[in-house]
Amino acid sequence: MTRAGGAAGKTGETSGNSKRSGGGKALMNWGPAILFGVILPFVTYGMLTDHGVSEVKALLLITLWPAVETLLHLAVRRRVDEFGMMMLVLMLLGALSAVAYNSTELMFIKESAITGLLGLAFLASLAMRRPAMFYLGRKFGTDGTPEGVARWNGLWEYPGFRRMQYLLTSVWGAAFLLEAVIRVVLTYVLPTGAMVLVNNLFPLLVVAGLVAWTTVMGKRGRARSAAAQAARAAEQAGGAPAVQGAA
């Protein structure tokens, strides 16, 4: 085998390993969310109502599954960040408010209202020193080590990075508001059993779409940054001979 062939083989092997690693990481990130946020609540709701539990009580009980996921994450990782605390507070507010509601429609609307408030919080953060997506990106875009966090914080000094964070925050906030409106409309159109599935699955689909769009925008931003750096390097390399000739 030639040296070039060996290098190509190693490159292909590295690429394959990278893809498998990326797939495993995606499964670790989304698997628990789908299990505890969609599958278990939907199955549990059907089992509870089949055994005579009222729809309101069943809806209240299935909110425990996301709380279990949060506590398991805390037990494994031994740390809580800003995003995790925010989600835990939202779930606790939802559980407490469910006690005051004796209507399945009002419970679904309550959850949609929380999503809408989250969207408003994202948009309101545009007026703060750093928008919400900066902190969300720091959670999922770093390994959580002090070095990784410091590297992410250092990116704020670049104007292009700042503009991207403001754009991402605006789009995410608007998407959450639109999602809340759609879920309120569906609450009065779909039966309760179907709405349980939609209410847990639709937010994940929205977030998945936003994450995919954010990933594409991030790649484009890195490509533009690399092109700008290459252009600056070419200008500097082209100007060096001219300076030497003048000397």
Side-chain angles (χ1 to χ4, degrees):
M1 178 182 294
T2 64
R3 184 175 300 177
K10 291 180 180 179
T11 302
E13 182 180 353
T14 302
S15 177
N17 292 336
S18 178
K19 291 181 179 179
R20 288 191 294 270
S21 177
K25 185 177 181 181
L27 180 62
M28 291 298 295
N29 287 336
W30 287 98
I34 295 175
L35 176 63
F36 287 94
V38 178
I39 298 176
L40 288 177
F42 180 70
V43 173
T44 304
Y45 176 83
M47 294 176 62
L48 290 174
T49 53
D50 288 344
H51 286 78
V53 179
S54 68
E55 292 182 341
V56 173
K57 289 183 179 179
L59 290 175
L60 175 59
L61 290 173
I62 64 176
T63 60
L64 295 176
W65 284 119
V68 170
E69 180 196 1
T70 301
L71 294 176
L72 287 176
H73 184 274
L74 176 62
V76 173
R77 298 295 179 88
R78 301 288 182 179
R79 65 183 179 86
V80 176
D81 54 19
E82 300 93 339
F83 184 75
M85 285 298 299
M86 179 183 67
M87 297 307 298
L88 182 58
V89 169
L90 289 176
M91 286 186 294
L92 289 176
L93 288 175
L96 291 175
S97 62
V99 178
Y101 297 141
N102 195 29
S103 167
T104 57
E105 289 82 5
L106 289 178
M107 291 183 65
F108 287 132
I109 292 175
K110 171 263 302 178
E111 295 186 9
S112 299
I114 292 176
T115 301
L117 290 175
L118 182 61
L120 290 176
F122 268 65
L123 297 178
S125 72
L126 295 172
M128 300 175 63
R129 182 170 174 266
R130 294 179 180 179
M133 282 304 296
F134 173 83
Y135 300 101
L136 192 62
R138 188 171 66 184
K139 170 181 171 57
F140 293 103
T142 69
D143 55 6
T145 61
E147 295 78 11
V149 172
R151 180 192 61 81
W152 182 267
N153 292 338
L155 295 174
W156 187 254
E157 66 179 86
Y158 298 103
F161 179 82
R162 294 196 298 269
R163 287 193 298 269
M164 181 61 66
Q165 298 308 305
Y166 283 113
L167 173 62
L168 296 177
T169 301
S170 300
V171 173
W172 278 63
F176 284 144
L177 286 177
L178 181 60
E179 175 201 331
V181 172
I182 293 175
R183 285 166 61 188
V184 169
V185 173
L186 292 178
T187 296
Y188 292 97
V189 175
L190 300 177
T192 302
M195 193 58 200
V196 169
L197 180 61
V198 171
N199 198 56
N200 290 308
L201 182 60
F202 188 46
L204 287 179
L205 294 177
V206 171
V207 172
L210 289 171
V211 168
W213 175 77
T214 301
T215 302
V216 171
M217 294 299 294
K219 290 181 178 179
R220 290 180 179 177
R222 288 191 293 270
R224 287 194 297 267
S225 177
Q229 292 178 359
R232 285 195 298 268
E235 290 178 359
Q236 294 174 356
V243 173
Q244 292 177 359

